[in-house]
Amino acid sequence: MATKQKREPLSQERIVTAALLLIDAVGLAAFTTRALGKKLGCEAMAIYNHFASKDELLDAVADRLMSKTVLPSEGSWRERARALANSYRALARVHPHAFPLLATRRGTLPSAYGMYDRVFAATMKEGLDPFAVACVFRALAHYCTGTALYEINTTAAHADGSATELPPEVAASLPSLAKVAVYFTPTHFDALFQFGLEALLDGFERALLRRAAEQA
Amino acid sequence: MATKQKREPLSQERIVTAALLLIDAVGLAAFTTRALGKKLGCEAMAIYNHFASKDELLDAVADRLMSKTVLPSEGSWRERARALANSYRALARVHPHAFPLLATRRGTLPSAYGMYDRVFAATMKEGLDPFAVACVFRALAHYCTGTALYEINTTAAHADGSATELPPEVAASLPSLAKVAVYFTPTHFDALFQFGLEALLDGFERALLRRAAEQA
DNA sequence: ACCTGAACACCGTTCAAGT
DNA sequence: ACCTGAACACCGTTCAAGT
């Protein structure tokens, strides 16, 4: 029995899924309502029946992306924080083109509310007060966001060869920069990230102990 | 003596200055080559005689922005790092619309090379090896970038009232999130940033001491 | 209710032509 | 050498019209 409908009907679900795939494939700059329409088998304007604007669609894509972060269900706050940080950074590796949406858009991301609640509850159960939890969580998130954006930009620059090395004349006149910049390449991404992450966690562990002692 | 030229001639200098002012005034989305032309008293196409593309112009704007960061000339690496971090964050407060250019664009920023060289030289003189310097510097930069982007987005959301509070039904069903989210508002930006910064510096100080001990 | 076609008011960028 | 005017190939979005 031949069907009358050419395509299955549109929905926010389907549109967001296609949008993320298209962004992954062509990048944010080439992500166009018209191109998305073509991918979905409809006209670009059909999308506006499901999203008020391209901007709202991008919010939904960011939310979808966030929902892919994995929170481990066991372990101390430190172990969980470490796992969450790595999961967030992994997201940037899988979706380098879409990830900046998470860092650039306003607003809270509803799909992460449940996850936040679980981490925060577990962390407070270990004795941290809400302010301390806020500090740890925000600092970790910001560290990961900044790292991910840097890694994405640098990887892209290395891929198209636009910034592989420090210009030789710069290296010659700024020797300290040259010595350190050796470690600013993709080869060392993992080492730097893990070192910084542990330092951050160490620092927090100490700060929180000190804080607890003061309040006792 | 009446002058024949209607306007002083264009230059990269003048264009970048006008571009930064325009972005500050109207935001990145409304920053248009045509609007910039109007501001400069010329046609949009005249700009292409000084920059190959809008993209290259934006790179130059990012570079200009970076050159406004202030490095203190005295103090221990810890004091300098703290001052540099605060200066970088201050940049985001003065140029909230333009700041994302720093986080989003590829590539090294030549105008900061000299500054980097001086910080790195001073830090290595205190006994840190190049890898350690790279770790500290990158972690601090990423922490600041992430914080600044978050603060910019959240401030904008609060300004237009789009995300002032957690929806009451969410707060009711996710109590731990609600308790912590109290601190995710502009009122607490400074406290969270400074707490995280000190924790990061503490963590690094310890990590570096441990590293030095292992190598000795 | 959902989708299309044509249209509007824009973009960045090109290119031949002006001075 | 530097700038302009007109044009090209796009955008996001509107709206009346179709089903």
Side-chain angles (χ1 to χ4, degrees):
Chain A
M1 40 185 165
T3 150
K4 266 184 184 173
Q5 292 175 247
K6 302 176 190 175
R7 310 279 167 207
E8 46 180 326
L10 290 180
S11 68
Q12 297 207 23
E13 258 279 312
R14 239 165 68 73
I15 294 172
V16 170
T17 303
L20 182 52
L21 279 169
L22 185 55
I23 293 170
D24 284 345
V26 304
L28 270 178
F31 173 70
T32 273
T33 54
R34 284 171 164 90
L36 181 57
K38 192 171 290 179
K39 183 140 191 167
L40 284 163
C42 67
E43 298 300 308
M45 308 77 203
I47 295 163
Y48 288 84
N49 240 293
H50 302 268
F51 289 97
S53 64
K54 189 187 180 185
D55 225 57
E56 280 198 13
L57 168 55
L58 288 176
D59 281 338
V61 173
D63 198 57
R64 168 71 62 86
L65 207 54
M66 195 63 187
S67 74
K68 291 177 183 288
T69 313
V70 178
L71 171 70
S73 49
E74 306 211 328
S76 66
W77 74 262
R78 183 159 173 155
E79 287 164 345
R80 284 164 161 244
R82 182 164 27 222
L84 193 56
N86 277 291
S87 166
Y88 192 59
R89 175 163 173 261
L91 204 62
R93 302 214 156 187
V94 179
H95 302 279
H97 285 133
F99 186 88
L101 290 173
L102 286 178
T104 299
R105 319 236 97 219
R106 79 184 38 175
T108 44
L109 293 169
S111 80
Y113 282 168
M115 188 187 69
Y116 292 164
D117 190 65
R118 271 176 290 143
V119 210
F120 294 171
T123 311
M124 288 194 280
K125 206 174 268 178
E126 287 191 57
L128 278 69
D129 63 65
F131 176 78
V133 175
C135 285
V136 175
F137 177 75
R138 285 257 68 93
L140 275 173
H142 297 330
Y143 172 69
C144 293
T145 301
T147 303
L149 289 177
Y150 175 79
E151 291 182 354
I152 288 167
N153 296 339
T154 306
T155 302
H158 277 250
D160 71 11
S162 69
T164 2
E165 291 298 335
L166 218 53
E169 69 277 13
V170 175
S173 64
L174 303 172
S176 299
L177 171 61
K179 260 180 221 150
V180 174
V182 171
Y183 298 101
F184 291 171
T185 54
T187 328
H188 299 90
F189 282 172
D190 278 327
L192 292 212
F193 177 72
Q194 301 302 342
F195 192 94
L197 181 57
E198 293 309 319
L200 194 51
L201 292 171
D202 270 351
F204 272 119
E205 202 145 32
R206 278 179 35 119
L208 296 176
L209 286 174
R210 200 160 47 219
R211 215 176 118 83
E214 277 166 17
Q215 290 178 350
Chain B
M1 43 185 163
T3 149
K4 266 184 182 172
Q5 292 175 245
K6 302 177 191 174
R7 312 276 166 208
E8 45 179 328
L10 289 178
S11 68
Q12 298 206 23
E13 260 277 316
R14 240 165 67 72
I15 293 172
V16 170
T17 303
L20 182 52
L21 278 170
L22 186 55
I23 292 170
D24 283 344
V26 303
L28 270 177
F31 173 70
T32 272
T33 55
R34 284 170 164 91
L36 181 57
K38 192 169 290 177
K39 182 142 191 167
L40 285 164
C42 67
E43 298 298 311
M45 307 77 204
I47 295 163
Y48 288 84
N49 240 293
H50 301 268
F51 289 97
S53 64
K54 188 186 180 186
D55 225 57
E56 280 199 12
L57 169 54
L58 287 176
D59 281 337
V61 173
D63 198 58
R64 169 72 62 86
L65 207 54
M66 195 62 188
S67 75
K68 292 177 184 286
T69 313
V70 178
L71 172 70
S73 49
E74 306 212 326
S76 67
W77 74 262
R78 183 158 172 155
E79 288 165 344
R80 284 164 160 244
R82 184 163 27 222
L84 193 57
N86 278 290
S87 166
Y88 192 59
R89 175 163 172 261
L91 204 63
R93 301 214 157 185
V94 179
H95 302 279
H97 285 134
F99 187 88
L101 290 173
L102 286 178
T104 300
R105 318 236 97 219
R106 76 185 40 177
T108 43
L109 294 169
S111 80
Y113 282 168
M115 188 186 71
Y116 293 163
D117 190 65
R118 272 176 290 141
V119 211
F120 295 170
T123 310
M124 287 193 281
K125 206 175 269 177
E126 288 191 56
L128 279 70
D129 62 66
F131 175 77
V133 175
C135 284
V136 175
F137 177 76
R138 284 257 71 92
L140 275 173
H142 296 330
Y143 173 68
C144 293
T145 300
T147 303
L149 289 178
Y150 175 79
E151 292 182 354
I152 288 168
N153 297 338
T154 305
T155 303
H158 277 250
D160 70 11
S162 70
T164 3
E165 292 298 335
L166 217 54
E169 71 278 11
V170 174
S173 64
L174 304 173
S176 299
L177 171 60
K179 261 182 220 150
V180 175
V182 171
Y183 298 101
F184 291 172
T185 53
T187 329
H188 300 89
F189 282 172
D190 278 327
L192 292 213
F193 177 72
Q194 301 302 342
F195 192 94
L197 180 57
E198 293 309 319
L200 194 51
L201 292 171
D202 270 351
F204 271 120
E205 202 144 31
R206 278 179 37 119
L208 296 176
L209 286 173
R210 200 159 46 218
R211 216 175 116 83
E214 278 167 17
Q215 289 178 352

